[in-house]
């Protein structure tokens, strides 16, 4: 990396850090100066103290572990089924013609609207919570995968066919690599929806998790702990997105070389 690019990157990180520090400072001052009552908005110093107390008591680890388990199970199931079904629908037009009307009907139904159905069939245990996270995360993966397969350059497909490539070879070496960026776009969107659905899932019938921590703290008027739950949920979503972005870069390193050659 050249010195100019390194300086530019460090400068960008410095501005980002300055923005975060400025936001935290403003957040600290607003309730401290009485602009907003600290009964409604806890300063970040109190939120940090609440997180520390949760960590010392062992409750933080329990809540984070419960949320991670639910969100990862739901997201992984959504990725597995969404990518598989999306590849099949994008590649086989007849299969899409059969399945698409049913999926279009279900796609219009909100995961939150179906939550009572999940509870009715699966109970109020872990299975219903994983189901609502799966449902919310499944659709962006499916639609992005279908779009990625359809947008593969037809010239690449025709060139592979003209050289006698089999359908299996063409799918593995042409279609799947070309569709991978679009697939990961859907997966990263699913990561966002996963955390959103996690909050709703843990607010009903849960005894642990960051969503439960947030709602329960609000009910007993432990406002710093409530903001701690909200902050930890945001950090969980940020960490999940960072990991998915890293995996995407690892699996699509060939695109960088292609761009440089172009």
């Amino acid at each position: 990396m050249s010195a100019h690019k390194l300086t530019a990157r460090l400068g960008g990180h410095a501005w980002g850090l300055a923005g975060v520090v400025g936001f935290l400072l403003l957040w600290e001052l607003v309730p401290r100066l009485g602009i907003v009552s600290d009964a409604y908005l806890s300063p970040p110093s109190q939120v940090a103290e609440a997180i520390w107390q949760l960590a010392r008591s062992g409750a933080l680890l329990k809540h984070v572990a419960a949320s991670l388990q639910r969100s990862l199970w739901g997201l992984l199931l959504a990725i597995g089924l969404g990518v598989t079904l999306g590849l099949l629908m994008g590649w086989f037009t007849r299969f899409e013609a059969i399945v698409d009307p049913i999926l279009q009907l279900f796609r219009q139904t909100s995961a939150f609207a179906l939550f009572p159905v999940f509870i009715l069939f699966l109970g109020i245990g872990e299975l219903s919570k994983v189901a609502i996270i799966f449902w919310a995360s499944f659709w962006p993966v499916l639609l992005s995968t279908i779009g990625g397969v359809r947008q593969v350059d037809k010239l690449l497909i025709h060139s592979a066919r003209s050289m006698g490539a089999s359908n299996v070879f063409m799918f593995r070496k042409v279609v799947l690599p070309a569709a991978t960026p679009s697939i990961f776009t859907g997966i990263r969107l699913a990561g966002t929806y996963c955390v959103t659905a996690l909050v709703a899932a843990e607010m009903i019938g849960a005894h642990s998790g960051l969503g439960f921590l947030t709602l329960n703290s609000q009910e007993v008027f432990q406002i710093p702990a409530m903001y701690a739950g909200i902050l930890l949920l945001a950090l969980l979503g940020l960490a999940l997105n960072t990991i998915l972005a890293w995996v995407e870069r690892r699996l699509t390193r060939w695109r960088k070389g292609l761009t440089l050659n172009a």
Side-chain angles (χ1 to χ4, degrees):
M1 182 182 296
S2 66
H4 177 71
K5 288 184 178 180
L6 180 61
T7 303
R9 178 171 292 186
L10 291 176
H13 288 314
W15 281 110
L17 180 62
V20 172
V21 172
F23 171 76
L24 291 175
L25 182 61
L26 180 63
W27 182 5
E28 182 75 28
L29 289 175
V30 166
R32 294 291 184 189
L33 297 177
I35 300 174
V36 176
S37 172
D38 59 2
Y40 303 110
L41 180 65
S42 300
S45 56
Q46 292 183 8
V47 175
E49 176 64 23
I51 294 175
W52 172 246
Q53 293 299 331
L54 287 167
R56 288 184 58 187
S57 67
L60 180 61
L61 180 60
K62 179 185 73 171
H63 291 310
V64 172
S67 292
L68 273 176
Q69 180 178 352
R70 292 162 184 154
S71 58
L72 289 179
W73 270 114
L75 181 60
L76 290 175
L77 288 171
I79 293 172
L81 184 58
V83 171
T84 302
L85 191 57
L87 290 173
L88 291 173
M89 291 179 66
W91 188 245
F92 299 106
T93 54
R94 290 183 180 177
F95 179 75
E96 182 192 12
I98 296 172
V99 177
D100 186 64
I102 302 172
L103 292 178
Q104 288 295 335
L105 175 64
F106 284 124
R107 188 167 71 91
Q108 307 307 320
T109 308
S110 167
F112 306 117
L114 287 176
F115 202 27
V117 179
F118 292 142
I119 293 177
L120 182 64
F121 281 92
L122 304 175
I124 60 172
E126 294 300 306
L127 199 54
S128 61
K129 295 173 179 56
V130 172
I132 190 173
I133 294 169
F134 160 78
W135 189 269
S137 307
F138 170 72
W139 301 106
V141 178
L142 175 68
L143 297 176
S144 294
T145 303
I146 295 173
V149 175
R150 288 177 177 172
Q151 292 171 10
V152 175
D153 192 343
K154 300 300 181 183
L155 181 60
L156 295 176
I157 297 176
H158 294 324
S159 299
R161 288 191 189 278
S162 67
M163 290 186 289
S166 65
N167 287 333
V168 174
F169 178 88
M170 189 161 50
F171 185 78
R172 290 179 56 239
K173 299 297 184 179
V174 178
V175 175
L176 189 57
T180 297
S182 181
I183 293 172
F184 266 98
T185 298
I187 290 175
R188 291 177 67 178
L189 282 173
T192 302
Y193 293 149
C194 166
V195 176
T196 304
L198 171 69
V199 177
E202 291 184 339
M203 285 184 174
I204 301 177
H207 300 287
S208 62
L210 297 175
F212 166 78
L213 170 65
T214 302
L215 181 64
N216 185 67
S217 299
Q218 183 267 333
E219 289 177 344
V220 298
F221 214 68
Q222 295 179 352
I223 306 304
M226 181 192 76
Y227 281 105
I230 295 172
L231 179 60
L232 290 169
L233 280 166
L235 292 176
L236 175 63
L238 181 62
L240 189 58
N241 183 72
T242 302
I243 293 171
L244 292 173
W246 177 82
V247 173
E248 180 183 9
R249 287 194 299 269
R250 296 284 294 181
L251 294 179
T252 58
R253 283 180 295 181
W254 57 271
R255 296 179 64 204
K256 183 177 180 181
L258 188 62
T259 304
L260 289 175
N261 291 334

